[in-house]
Amino acid sequence: MSRKKIIAGNWKMYKTPQQAREFVTAFLPLVADHKRDEIVLCPPFISLIAVVGATKGSNVMVGAQNMHWEKEGAFTGECSPEMLVAEGVTHVIIGHSERRQYFNETDDTVNRKLEVALEHGLTPIVCVGEVLEEREANLTEDVLRRQCSRAFRGISAKKAAKLVVAYEPVWAIGTGKTATPEIAEEAHMVIRHEAEKSFGKEFASALRIQYGGSVKPDNAKSLMSQPDIDGALVGGASLDPQNFAKIVKY
Ligand code: 13P
């Protein structure tokens, strides 16, 4: 089963709309003929419109870093799936560890967001991953199984077709400590197996699972060469157009 890799840049809370446009101007020519992989930029909400506009007609797609599950309502500070779709956003990151850690995101809210993102035709990137204490206590597999099964609860394989999962071990995020390709591959196999339990074998073998956590131009190739690693979710190294282009073209 060949899976098209998805390389996404998660800019987190970096770049003004002007800086975002400048990035796109520099980045697009560097990846213009790159057809092998799906390329996605995920800027903060305020820059989504700028990045959608600047990437129009190119091979680069745009994702949000979060969304609410309701259509509209009194939810100060939130953004709905409908609003994202209306502006040409195609992807959305759900359940990033920083949202779980600082903004009270739970397995339950991830499940609600996933369901609604799929209903709106968005490509959801559901993030899972263990913290250091869990890895040291040999709980990685349990954590991944729990996060996946709860995220996928009540969703059919048919509905979930566009699902992407990102394995992001929390101890590897922003630390410069990348999971070895072997550690990442092992975790990806656990996630694929859990997807098989929820959605069936055929679905699981087509499911794209990204790795995230200190992906850099010099380690992208060895990670991407693992059989179960189907792309990368890149933080820090996606802020520079040259670096991110090197990762895309690993
Ligand atoms: P870094 O690449 O900066 O470690 O961040 C990874 C990440 O959290 C992407 O979502």
Side-chain angles (χ1 to χ4, degrees):
M1 159 68 64
S2 96
R3 297 179 290 260
K4 186 169 188 166
K5 286 189 172 40
I6 167 168
I7 317 283
N10 172 12
W11 287 354
K12 308 192 179 184
M13 200 172 72
Y14 289 97
K15 293 192 193 295
T16 63
Q18 179 56 29
Q19 289 166 338
R21 274 188 288 267
E22 285 164 14
F23 176 100
V24 175
T25 304
F27 180 65
L28 288 187
L30 303 175
V31 297
D33 348 321
H34 191 85
K35 297 196 177 71
R36 182 189 58 188
D37 312 292
E38 192 170 317
I39 309 170
V40 189
L41 294 174
C42 303
F45 282 135
I46 188 106
S47 293
L48 282 171
I49 296 175
V51 176
V52 167
T55 54
K56 207 158 239 141
S58 77
N59 54 340
V60 175
M61 288 182 270
V62 183
Q65 298 173 14
N66 181 35
M67 57 161 223
H68 199 273
W69 58 83
E70 292 286 352
K71 189 173 170 200
E72 57 188 12
F75 300 104
T76 302
E78 293 291 325
C79 197
S80 77
E82 219 153 69
M83 294 168 188
L84 298 176
V85 171
E87 284 307 323
V89 172
T90 52
H91 293 62
V92 61
I93 298 172
I94 296 174
H96 191 278
S97 63
E98 285 146 21
R99 297 219 54 89
R100 293 179 191 255
Q101 190 178 351
Y102 307 126
F103 302 101
N104 220 17
E105 190 85 77
T106 63
D107 291 333
D108 181 50
T109 58
V110 169
N111 175 247
R112 293 167 88 165
K113 290 179 181 187
L114 173 59
E115 181 161 24
V116 172
L118 291 165
E119 273 162 16
H120 284 79
L122 289 159
T123 297
I125 300 177
V126 171
C127 300
V128 296
E130 79 288 0
V131 300
L132 185 61
E133 296 72 37
E134 291 164 337
R135 171 153 291 272
E136 285 174 344
N138 270 326
L139 291 172
T140 300
E141 187 169 335
D142 292 354
V143 170
L144 296 178
R145 289 197 186 283
R146 188 199 73 225
Q147 289 177 335
C148 286
S149 64
R150 291 191 183 169
F152 304 159
R153 189 155 47 196
I155 297 172
S156 69
K158 185 162 176 259
K159 192 169 175 185
K162 285 189 171 179
L163 174 68
V164 174
V165 176
Y167 169 58
E168 296 209 312
V170 180
W171 48 270
I173 295 178
T175 57
K177 277 193 219 156
T178 321
T180 62
E182 295 71 28
I183 287 181
E185 170 65 14
E186 203 177 298
H188 283 224
M189 285 166 65
V190 170
I191 294 166
R192 203 174 295 290
H193 187 247
E194 202 53 45
E196 184 177 333
K197 282 207 252 168
S198 296
F199 301 123
K201 208 176 176 60
E202 201 180 325
F203 182 100
S205 69
L207 174 68
R208 295 182 298 171
I209 307 174
Q210 297 174 299
Y211 168 77
S214 297
V215 176
K216 309 286 177 211
D218 60 0
N219 61 24
K221 195 179 175 75
S222 59
L223 286 160
M224 295 307 120
S225 309
Q226 295 296 315
D228 283 283
I229 300 185
D230 311 308
L233 184 55
V234 186
S238 73
L239 293 170
D240 174 77
Q242 314 283 340
N243 273 341
F244 191 47
K246 280 188 199 151
I247 293 174
V248 166
K249 298 200 218 165
Y250 65 86

